[in-house]
Amino acid sequence: MSPSPIEANLPKNIILIGYMGCGKSTIGRVISQQLNYPLMDTDHYIEEQTSTKISDIFQKQGEESFRNLETDLISQLLEQNIAKQIISTGGGLPLRESNREMLKSLGYVVWLKASVNSIFERTEKSNHRPLLNSENPKETISKMLEQRNPIYQDCSHLTIQTDDLSINDSAHGIIESARYFFSNS
Ligand code: S3P
């Protein structure tokens, strides 16, 4: 069967990276529906595989153990040579340099960038993000972004500033840019 027009030149994976609350899961879901590619959410996958909530993994085994699980998962995806998947990553997954290399080998990496204020508003009510359980979450977000933004930048083929974009516009932009990227690679 020949690919539908929307699928043409999209043979690989699209990987969404970025800080907590930048819209990776929501935008990932829309892209997944539009392209009819399965969505793999690394946080959900790790929770399913370990039957443990991420906040419990952090609390009982420590952040390093969680980072090891993330590295294992990305290595497995690479080994399996997966294709035509949308991968929404946990916000800290690109922190390890080896993970960044693997992400870039997996496909088109898109950094969903957002301002401190948008991230604060989007994460204010969530209670499943252990790293934001601080007295001053806005300050925590700001400090972490300062440290992480260059890392996200280093790892991505495309940056989308999401603050003023609708979910659909972001998804549309990513699909079109990915098509262009894959047609030239
Ligand atoms: C983390 C982000 C979370 C989750 C964990 C650690 C981080 O994922 O992986 O709490 O270090 O930024 P989301 O970005 O999907 O919230």
Side-chain angles (χ1 to χ4, degrees), residues 5-40:
I6 199 164
E7 264 201 320
N9 294 325
L10 275 178
K12 291 193 187 155
N13 308 292
I14 299 177
I15 299 115
L16 304 180
I17 64 164
Y19 194 76
M20 294 172 261
C22 67
K24 291 163 292 185
S25 305
T26 320
I27 294 171
R29 217 169 294 126
V30 174
I31 298 176
S32 152
Q33 281 161 1
Q34 291 199 2
L35 293 177
N36 207 14
Y37 288 5
L39 173 68
M40 133 82 69

PDB file of all heavy atoms in Angstrom, residues 5-40:
ATOM      1  N   PRO A   5      -0.626  10.820   1.707  1.00  0.00           N
ATOM      2  CA  PRO A   5       0.171  12.028   1.493  1.00  0.00           C
ATOM      3  C   PRO A   5       0.795  12.534   2.789  1.00  0.00           C
ATOM      4  O   PRO A   5       1.925  12.971   2.811  1.00  0.00           O
ATOM      5  CB  PRO A   5      -0.844  13.030   0.944  1.00  0.00           C
ATOM      6  CG  PRO A   5      -1.954  12.202   0.410  1.00  0.00           C
ATOM      7  CD  PRO A   5      -1.967  10.909   1.143  1.00  0.00           C
ATOM      8  N   ILE A   6       0.059  12.420   3.884  1.00  0.00           N
ATOM      9  CA  ILE A   6       0.598  12.964   5.139  1.00  0.00           C
ATOM     10  C   ILE A   6       1.784  12.135   5.636  1.00  0.00           C
ATOM     11  O   ILE A   6       2.652  12.606   6.346  1.00  0.00           O
ATOM     12  CB  ILE A   6      -0.511  13.073   6.214  1.00  0.00           C
ATOM     13  CG1 ILE A   6      -0.070  14.038   7.306  1.00  0.00           C
ATOM     14  CG2 ILE A   6      -0.900  11.743   6.801  1.00  0.00           C
ATOM     15  CD1 ILE A   6      -1.189  14.521   8.194  1.00  0.00           C
ATOM     16  N   GLU A   7       1.825  10.866   5.201  1.00  0.00           N
ATOM     17  CA  GLU A   7       2.904   9.976   5.640  1.00  0.00           C
ATOM     18  C   GLU A   7       4.145  10.049   4.758  1.00  0.00           C
ATOM     19  O   GLU A   7       5.212   9.605   5.158  1.00  0.00           O
ATOM     20  CB  GLU A   7       2.416   8.518   5.581  1.00  0.00           C
ATOM     21  CG  GLU A   7       1.898   7.982   6.870  1.00  0.00           C
ATOM     22  CD  GLU A   7       1.940   6.466   6.841  1.00  0.00           C
ATOM     23  OE1 GLU A   7       1.628   5.879   5.802  1.00  0.00           O
ATOM     24  OE2 GLU A   7       2.307   5.885   7.863  1.00  0.00           O
ATOM     25  N   ALA A   8       3.988  10.605   3.543  1.00  0.00           N
ATOM     26  CA  ALA A   8       5.106  10.581   2.601  1.00  0.00           C
ATOM     27  C   ALA A   8       6.339  11.201   3.236  1.00  0.00           C
ATOM     28  O   ALA A   8       6.266  12.226   3.903  1.00  0.00           O
ATOM     29  CB  ALA A   8       4.721  11.349   1.340  1.00  0.00           C
ATOM     30  N   ASN A   9       7.482  10.579   3.043  1.00  0.00           N
ATOM     31  CA  ASN A   9       8.747  11.072   3.581  1.00  0.00           C
ATOM     32  C   ASN A   9       8.797  11.131   5.101  1.00  0.00           C
ATOM     33  O   ASN A   9       9.484  11.958   5.664  1.00  0.00           O
ATOM     34  CB  ASN A   9       9.098  12.459   3.032  1.00  0.00           C
ATOM     35  CG  ASN A   9       9.365  12.409   1.559  1.00  0.00           C
ATOM     36  OD1 ASN A   9       9.918  11.426   1.081  1.00  0.00           O
ATOM     37  ND2 ASN A   9       8.966  13.436   0.852  1.00  0.00           N
ATOM     38  N   LEU A  10       8.068  10.291   5.783  1.00  0.00           N
ATOM     39  CA  LEU A  10       8.174  10.257   7.245  1.00  0.00           C
ATOM     40  C   LEU A  10       8.527   8.853   7.718  1.00  0.00           C
ATOM     41  O   LEU A  10       7.761   8.229   8.430  1.00  0.00           O
ATOM     42  CB  LEU A  10       6.850  10.693   7.903  1.00  0.00           C
ATOM     43  CG  LEU A  10       6.634  12.188   8.086  1.00  0.00           C
ATOM     44  CD1 LEU A  10       5.261  12.447   8.690  1.00  0.00           C
ATOM     45  CD2 LEU A  10       7.698  12.816   8.958  1.00  0.00           C
ATOM     46  N   PRO A  11       9.679   8.334   7.282  1.00  0.00           N
ATOM     47  CA  PRO A  11       9.960   6.934   7.596  1.00  0.00           C
ATOM     48  C   PRO A  11      10.411   6.686   9.024  1.00  0.00           C
ATOM     49  O   PRO A  11      10.349   5.573   9.504  1.00  0.00           O
ATOM     50  CB  PRO A  11      11.089   6.580   6.628  1.00  0.00           C
ATOM     51  CG  PRO A  11      11.771   7.872   6.349  1.00  0.00           C
ATOM     52  CD  PRO A  11      10.757   8.953   6.528  1.00  0.00           C
ATOM     53  N   LYS A  12      10.921   7.716   9.718  1.00  0.00           N
ATOM     54  CA  LYS A  12      11.552   7.449  11.007  1.00  0.00           C
ATOM     55  C   LYS A  12      10.665   7.868  12.156  1.00  0.00           C
ATOM     56  O   LYS A  12       9.474   8.021  12.023  1.00  0.00           O
ATOM     57  CB  LYS A  12      12.890   8.162  11.041  1.00  0.00           C
ATOM     58  CG  LYS A  12      13.886   7.546  10.077  1.00  0.00           C
ATOM     59  CD  LYS A  12      15.269   8.050  10.362  1.00  0.00           C
ATOM     60  CE  LYS A  12      16.225   7.566   9.293  1.00  0.00           C
ATOM     61  NZ  LYS A  12      17.376   8.436   9.169  1.00  0.00           N
ATOM     62  N   ASN A  13      11.300   8.052  13.281  1.00  0.00           N
ATOM     63  CA  ASN A  13      10.531   8.415  14.485  1.00  0.00           C
ATOM     64  C   ASN A  13      10.603   9.921  14.739  1.00  0.00           C
ATOM     65  O   ASN A  13      11.558  10.583  14.335  1.00  0.00           O
ATOM     66  CB  ASN A  13      11.135   7.685  15.681  1.00  0.00           C
ATOM     67  CG  ASN A  13      11.258   6.203  15.424  1.00  0.00           C
ATOM     68  OD1 ASN A  13      10.263   5.497  15.326  1.00  0.00           O
ATOM     69  ND2 ASN A  13      12.487   5.711  15.286  1.00  0.00           N
ATOM     70  N   ILE A  14       9.603  10.410  15.466  1.00  0.00           N
ATOM     71  CA  ILE A  14       9.646  11.801  15.920  1.00  0.00           C
ATOM     72  C   ILE A  14       9.744  11.753  17.442  1.00  0.00           C
ATOM     73  O   ILE A  14       8.937  11.090  18.106  1.00  0.00           O
ATOM     74  CB  ILE A  14       8.392  12.583  15.481  1.00  0.00           C
ATOM     75  CG1 ILE A  14       8.300  12.610  13.959  1.00  0.00           C
ATOM     76  CG2 ILE A  14       8.417  14.001  16.050  1.00  0.00           C
ATOM     77  CD1 ILE A  14       7.041  13.293  13.419  1.00  0.00           C
ATOM     78  N   ILE A  15      10.748  12.434  17.973  1.00  0.00           N
ATOM     79  CA  ILE A  15      10.987  12.380  19.416  1.00  0.00           C
ATOM     80  C   ILE A  15      10.778  13.759  20.018  1.00  0.00           C
ATOM     81  O   ILE A  15      11.369  14.744  19.546  1.00  0.00           O
ATOM     82  CB  ILE A  15      12.443  11.909  19.686  1.00  0.00           C
ATOM     83  CG1 ILE A  15      12.635  10.510  19.104  1.00  0.00           C
ATOM     84  CG2 ILE A  15      12.744  11.889  21.173  1.00  0.00           C
ATOM     85  CD1 ILE A  15      13.612  10.466  18.006  1.00  0.00           C
ATOM     86  N   LEU A  16       9.939  13.833  21.025  1.00  0.00           N
ATOM     87  CA  LEU A  16       9.668  15.123  21.668  1.00  0.00           C
ATOM     88  C   LEU A  16      10.428  15.197  22.982  1.00  0.00           C
ATOM     89  O   LEU A  16      10.316  14.304  23.829  1.00  0.00           O
ATOM     90  CB  LEU A  16       8.160  15.267  21.923  1.00  0.00           C
ATOM     91  CG  LEU A  16       7.275  15.118  20.684  1.00  0.00           C
ATOM     92  CD1 LEU A  16       5.801  15.279  21.060  1.00  0.00           C
ATOM     93  CD2 LEU A  16       7.664  16.130  19.612  1.00  0.00           C
ATOM     94  N   ILE A  17      11.206  16.273  23.135  1.00  0.00           N
ATOM     95  CA  ILE A  17      11.927  16.479  24.383  1.00  0.00           C
ATOM     96  C   ILE A  17      11.549  17.846  24.956  1.00  0.00           C
ATOM     97  O   ILE A  17      10.995  18.693  24.261  1.00  0.00           O
ATOM     98  CB  ILE A  17      13.472  16.408  24.200  1.00  0.00           C
ATOM     99  CG1 ILE A  17      13.968  17.554  23.294  1.00  0.00           C
ATOM    100  CG2 ILE A  17      13.899  15.069  23.627  1.00  0.00           C
ATOM    101  CD1 ILE A  17      15.470  17.782  23.379  1.00  0.00           C
ATOM    102  N   GLY A  18      11.887  18.061  26.202  1.00  0.00           N
ATOM    103  CA  GLY A  18      11.643  19.366  26.821  1.00  0.00           C
ATOM    104  C   GLY A  18      11.280  19.203  28.280  1.00  0.00           C
ATOM    105  O   GLY A  18      11.063  18.088  28.772  1.00  0.00           O
ATOM    106  N   TYR A  19      11.224  20.336  28.938  1.00  0.00           N
ATOM    107  CA  TYR A  19      11.000  20.357  30.379  1.00  0.00           C
ATOM    108  C   TYR A  19       9.578  19.879  30.720  1.00  0.00           C
ATOM    109  O   TYR A  19       8.686  19.878  29.858  1.00  0.00           O
ATOM    110  CB  TYR A  19      11.222  21.789  30.881  1.00  0.00           C
ATOM    111  CG  TYR A  19      11.352  21.905  32.378  1.00  0.00           C
ATOM    112  CD1 TYR A  19      12.525  21.526  33.021  1.00  0.00           C
ATOM    113  CD2 TYR A  19      10.295  22.371  33.144  1.00  0.00           C
ATOM    114  CE1 TYR A  19      12.634  21.618  34.396  1.00  0.00           C
ATOM    115  CE2 TYR A  19      10.406  22.477  34.517  1.00  0.00           C
ATOM    116  CZ  TYR A  19      11.578  22.095  35.142  1.00  0.00           C
ATOM    117  OH  TYR A  19      11.690  22.184  36.501  1.00  0.00           O
ATOM    118  N   MET A  20       9.401  19.512  31.978  1.00  0.00           N
ATOM    119  CA  MET A  20       8.073  19.095  32.461  1.00  0.00           C
ATOM    120  C   MET A  20       7.031  20.175  32.115  1.00  0.00           C
ATOM    121  O   MET A  20       7.306  21.357  32.261  1.00  0.00           O
ATOM    122  CB  MET A  20       8.103  18.943  33.991  1.00  0.00           C
ATOM    123  CG  MET A  20       8.986  17.816  34.460  1.00  0.00           C
ATOM    124  SD  MET A  20       9.186  17.781  36.261  1.00  0.00           S
ATOM    125  CE  MET A  20      10.765  18.592  36.468  1.00  0.00           C
ATOM    126  N   GLY A  21       5.867  19.741  31.666  1.00  0.00           N
ATOM    127  CA  GLY A  21       4.777  20.678  31.419  1.00  0.00           C
ATOM    128  C   GLY A  21       4.891  21.453  30.115  1.00  0.00           C
ATOM    129  O   GLY A  21       4.132  22.393  29.899  1.00  0.00           O
ATOM    130  N   CYS A  22       5.808  21.052  29.229  1.00  0.00           N
ATOM    131  CA  CYS A  22       5.927  21.823  27.969  1.00  0.00           C
ATOM    132  C   CYS A  22       4.989  21.281  26.888  1.00  0.00           C
ATOM    133  O   CYS A  22       4.936  21.826  25.796  1.00  0.00           O
ATOM    134  CB  CYS A  22       7.369  21.840  27.481  1.00  0.00           C
ATOM    135  SG  CYS A  22       7.918  20.216  26.982  1.00  0.00           S
ATOM    136  N   GLY A  23       4.257  20.213  27.187  1.00  0.00           N
ATOM    137  CA  GLY A  23       3.240  19.733  26.245  1.00  0.00           C
ATOM    138  C   GLY A  23       3.629  18.502  25.440  1.00  0.00           C
ATOM    139  O   GLY A  23       2.966  18.161  24.466  1.00  0.00           O
ATOM    140  N   LYS A  24       4.702  17.801  25.864  1.00  0.00           N
ATOM    141  CA  LYS A  24       5.177  16.649  25.077  1.00  0.00           C
ATOM    142  C   LYS A  24       4.091  15.587  24.899  1.00  0.00           C
ATOM    143  O   LYS A  24       3.865  15.106  23.800  1.00  0.00           O
ATOM    144  CB  LYS A  24       6.404  16.003  25.761  1.00  0.00           C
ATOM    145  CG  LYS A  24       7.657  16.854  25.730  1.00  0.00           C
ATOM    146  CD  LYS A  24       8.659  16.354  26.751  1.00  0.00           C
ATOM    147  CE  LYS A  24       8.172  16.586  28.147  1.00  0.00           C
ATOM    148  NZ  LYS A  24       9.074  16.249  29.228  1.00  0.00           N
ATOM    149  N   SER A  25       3.421  15.231  26.009  1.00  0.00           N
ATOM    150  CA  SER A  25       2.428  14.141  25.909  1.00  0.00           C
ATOM    151  C   SER A  25       1.230  14.583  25.083  1.00  0.00           C
ATOM    152  O   SER A  25       0.743  13.823  24.225  1.00  0.00           O
ATOM    153  CB  SER A  25       1.938  13.717  27.298  1.00  0.00           C
ATOM    154  OG  SER A  25       3.029  13.389  28.088  1.00  0.00           O
ATOM    155  N   THR A  26       0.755  15.802  25.315  1.00  0.00           N
ATOM    156  CA  THR A  26      -0.448  16.264  24.606  1.00  0.00           C
ATOM    157  C   THR A  26      -0.166  16.420  23.120  1.00  0.00           C
ATOM    158  O   THR A  26      -0.938  15.941  22.268  1.00  0.00           O
ATOM    159  CB  THR A  26      -0.889  17.636  25.168  1.00  0.00           C
ATOM    160  OG1 THR A  26      -0.720  17.620  26.571  1.00  0.00           O
ATOM    161  CG2 THR A  26      -2.308  17.959  24.804  1.00  0.00           C
ATOM    162  N   ILE A  27       0.938  17.078  22.791  1.00  0.00           N
ATOM    163  CA  ILE A  27       1.260  17.285  21.375  1.00  0.00           C
ATOM    164  C   ILE A  27       1.603  15.933  20.737  1.00  0.00           C
ATOM    165  O   ILE A  27       1.211  15.649  19.603  1.00  0.00           O
ATOM    166  CB  ILE A  27       2.407  18.309  21.229  1.00  0.00           C
ATOM    167  CG1 ILE A  27       1.920  19.683  21.712  1.00  0.00           C
ATOM    168  CG2 ILE A  27       2.916  18.384  19.797  1.00  0.00           C
ATOM    169  CD1 ILE A  27       2.986  20.753  21.826  1.00  0.00           C
ATOM    170  N   GLY A  28       2.291  15.076  21.488  1.00  0.00           N
ATOM    171  CA  GLY A  28       2.629  13.745  20.991  1.00  0.00           C
ATOM    172  C   GLY A  28       1.368  12.974  20.609  1.00  0.00           C
ATOM    173  O   GLY A  28       1.323  12.296  19.577  1.00  0.00           O
ATOM    174  N   ARG A  29       0.331  13.087  21.434  1.00  0.00           N
ATOM    175  CA  ARG A  29      -0.915  12.368  21.169  1.00  0.00           C
ATOM    176  C   ARG A  29      -1.539  12.846  19.848  1.00  0.00           C
ATOM    177  O   ARG A  29      -2.004  12.056  19.035  1.00  0.00           O
ATOM    178  CB  ARG A  29      -1.896  12.609  22.327  1.00  0.00           C
ATOM    179  CG  ARG A  29      -2.731  11.392  22.668  1.00  0.00           C
ATOM    180  CD  ARG A  29      -3.486  11.571  23.974  1.00  0.00           C
ATOM    181  NE  ARG A  29      -2.638  11.668  25.142  1.00  0.00           N
ATOM    182  CZ  ARG A  29      -2.670  12.669  26.040  1.00  0.00           C
ATOM    183  NH1 ARG A  29      -3.517  13.654  25.906  1.00  0.00           N
ATOM    184  NH2 ARG A  29      -1.854  12.654  27.076  1.00  0.00           N
ATOM    185  N   VAL A  30      -1.521  14.168  19.636  1.00  0.00           N
ATOM    186  CA  VAL A  30      -2.128  14.710  18.401  1.00  0.00           C
ATOM    187  C   VAL A  30      -1.332  14.256  17.171  1.00  0.00           C
ATOM    188  O   VAL A  30      -1.907  13.808  16.170  1.00  0.00           O
ATOM    189  CB  VAL A  30      -2.188  16.263  18.469  1.00  0.00           C
ATOM    190  CG1 VAL A  30      -2.681  16.845  17.153  1.00  0.00           C
ATOM    191  CG2 VAL A  30      -3.088  16.702  19.609  1.00  0.00           C
ATOM    192  N   ILE A  31      -0.005  14.317  17.265  1.00  0.00           N
ATOM    193  CA  ILE A  31       0.816  13.881  16.116  1.00  0.00           C
ATOM    194  C   ILE A  31       0.560  12.400  15.840  1.00  0.00           C
ATOM    195  O   ILE A  31       0.415  11.963  14.699  1.00  0.00           O
ATOM    196  CB  ILE A  31       2.320  14.115  16.395  1.00  0.00           C
ATOM    197  CG1 ILE A  31       2.602  15.596  16.608  1.00  0.00           C
ATOM    198  CG2 ILE A  31       3.181  13.571  15.264  1.00  0.00           C
ATOM    199  CD1 ILE A  31       4.035  15.901  16.984  1.00  0.00           C
ATOM    200  N   SER A  32       0.511  11.630  16.920  1.00  0.00           N
ATOM    201  CA  SER A  32       0.282  10.196  16.795  1.00  0.00           C
ATOM    202  C   SER A  32      -1.049   9.917  16.079  1.00  0.00           C
ATOM    203  O   SER A  32      -1.130   9.068  15.187  1.00  0.00           O
ATOM    204  CB  SER A  32       0.321   9.587  18.199  1.00  0.00           C
ATOM    205  OG  SER A  32      -0.454   8.444  18.303  1.00  0.00           O
ATOM    206  N   GLN A  33      -2.084  10.665  16.444  1.00  0.00           N
ATOM    207  CA  GLN A  33      -3.396  10.460  15.799  1.00  0.00           C
ATOM    208  C   GLN A  33      -3.345  10.880  14.341  1.00  0.00           C
ATOM    209  O   GLN A  33      -3.864  10.201  13.458  1.00  0.00           O
ATOM    210  CB  GLN A  33      -4.471  11.273  16.525  1.00  0.00           C
ATOM    211  CG  GLN A  33      -4.937  10.604  17.811  1.00  0.00           C
ATOM    212  CD  GLN A  33      -5.635  11.579  18.753  1.00  0.00           C
ATOM    213  OE1 GLN A  33      -5.792  12.764  18.445  1.00  0.00           O
ATOM    214  NE2 GLN A  33      -6.051  11.091  19.908  1.00  0.00           N
ATOM    215  N   GLN A  34      -2.687  12.019  14.076  1.00  0.00           N
ATOM    216  CA  GLN A  34      -2.700  12.527  12.697  1.00  0.00           C
ATOM    217  C   GLN A  34      -1.905  11.631  11.753  1.00  0.00           C
ATOM    218  O   GLN A  34      -2.270  11.468  10.597  1.00  0.00           O
ATOM    219  CB  GLN A  34      -2.147  13.940  12.664  1.00  0.00           C
ATOM    220  CG  GLN A  34      -3.107  14.896  13.356  1.00  0.00           C
ATOM    221  CD  GLN A  34      -2.875  16.347  12.979  1.00  0.00           C
ATOM    222  OE1 GLN A  34      -2.012  16.657  12.174  1.00  0.00           O
ATOM    223  NE2 GLN A  34      -3.643  17.231  13.569  1.00  0.00           N
ATOM    224  N   LEU A  35      -0.811  11.068  12.243  1.00  0.00           N
ATOM    225  CA  LEU A  35       0.020  10.226  11.358  1.00  0.00           C
ATOM    226  C   LEU A  35      -0.343   8.754  11.457  1.00  0.00           C
ATOM    227  O   LEU A  35       0.139   7.938  10.687  1.00  0.00           O
ATOM    228  CB  LEU A  35       1.502  10.383  11.723  1.00  0.00           C
ATOM    229  CG  LEU A  35       2.134  11.741  11.470  1.00  0.00           C
ATOM    230  CD1 LEU A  35       3.576  11.747  11.950  1.00  0.00           C
ATOM    231  CD2 LEU A  35       2.070  12.090   9.991  1.00  0.00           C
ATOM    232  N   ASN A  36      -1.158   8.452  12.479  1.00  0.00           N
ATOM    233  CA  ASN A  36      -1.468   7.051  12.758  1.00  0.00           C
ATOM    234  C   ASN A  36      -0.200   6.259  13.121  1.00  0.00           C
ATOM    235  O   ASN A  36      -0.025   5.121  12.691  1.00  0.00           O
ATOM    236  CB  ASN A  36      -2.203   6.428  11.569  1.00  0.00           C
ATOM    237  CG  ASN A  36      -3.079   5.291  12.007  1.00  0.00           C
ATOM    238  OD1 ASN A  36      -3.332   5.140  13.209  1.00  0.00           O
ATOM    239  ND2 ASN A  36      -3.506   4.475  11.073  1.00  0.00           N
ATOM    240  N   TYR A  37       0.698   6.881  13.843  1.00  0.00           N
ATOM    241  CA  TYR A  37       1.886   6.230  14.377  1.00  0.00           C
ATOM    242  C   TYR A  37       1.653   6.022  15.869  1.00  0.00           C
ATOM    243  O   TYR A  37       1.118   6.913  16.529  1.00  0.00           O
ATOM    244  CB  TYR A  37       3.129   7.121  14.243  1.00  0.00           C
ATOM    245  CG  TYR A  37       3.686   7.313  12.858  1.00  0.00           C
ATOM    246  CD1 TYR A  37       3.052   6.799  11.731  1.00  0.00           C
ATOM    247  CD2 TYR A  37       4.855   8.025  12.682  1.00  0.00           C
ATOM    248  CE1 TYR A  37       3.588   7.003  10.470  1.00  0.00           C
ATOM    249  CE2 TYR A  37       5.392   8.228  11.425  1.00  0.00           C
ATOM    250  CZ  TYR A  37       4.753   7.720  10.318  1.00  0.00           C
ATOM    251  OH  TYR A  37       5.283   7.923   9.081  1.00  0.00           O
ATOM    252  N   PRO A  38       2.102   4.889  16.416  1.00  0.00           N
ATOM    253  CA  PRO A  38       1.912   4.690  17.854  1.00  0.00           C
ATOM    254  C   PRO A  38       2.702   5.702  18.688  1.00  0.00           C
ATOM    255  O   PRO A  38       3.771   6.153  18.260  1.00  0.00           O
ATOM    256  CB  PRO A  38       2.437   3.280  18.105  1.00  0.00           C
ATOM    257  CG  PRO A  38       3.033   2.798  16.852  1.00  0.00           C
ATOM    258  CD  PRO A  38       2.744   3.760  15.755  1.00  0.00           C
ATOM    259  N   LEU A  39       2.157   6.023  19.846  1.00  0.00           N
ATOM    260  CA  LEU A  39       2.835   6.949  20.759  1.00  0.00           C
ATOM    261  C   LEU A  39       3.464   6.158  21.895  1.00  0.00           C
ATOM    262  O   LEU A  39       2.799   5.350  22.551  1.00  0.00           O
ATOM    263  CB  LEU A  39       1.812   7.936  21.337  1.00  0.00           C
ATOM    264  CG  LEU A  39       2.315   8.875  22.448  1.00  0.00           C
ATOM    265  CD1 LEU A  39       3.331   9.878  21.909  1.00  0.00           C
ATOM    266  CD2 LEU A  39       1.141   9.619  23.083  1.00  0.00           C
ATOM    267  N   MET A  40       4.761   6.385  22.091  1.00  0.00           N
ATOM    268  CA  MET A  40       5.431   5.762  23.246  1.00  0.00           C
ATOM    269  C   MET A  40       5.801   6.882  24.214  1.00  0.00           C
ATOM    270  O   MET A  40       6.505   7.820  23.855  1.00  0.00           O
ATOM    271  CB  MET A  40       6.646   4.987  22.745  1.00  0.00           C
ATOM    272  CG  MET A  40       7.937   5.180  23.478  1.00  0.00           C
ATOM    273  SD  MET A  40       8.080   4.189  24.957  1.00  0.00           S
ATOM    274  CE  MET A  40       8.229   2.562  24.304  1.00  0.00           C
TER     275      MET A  40
END
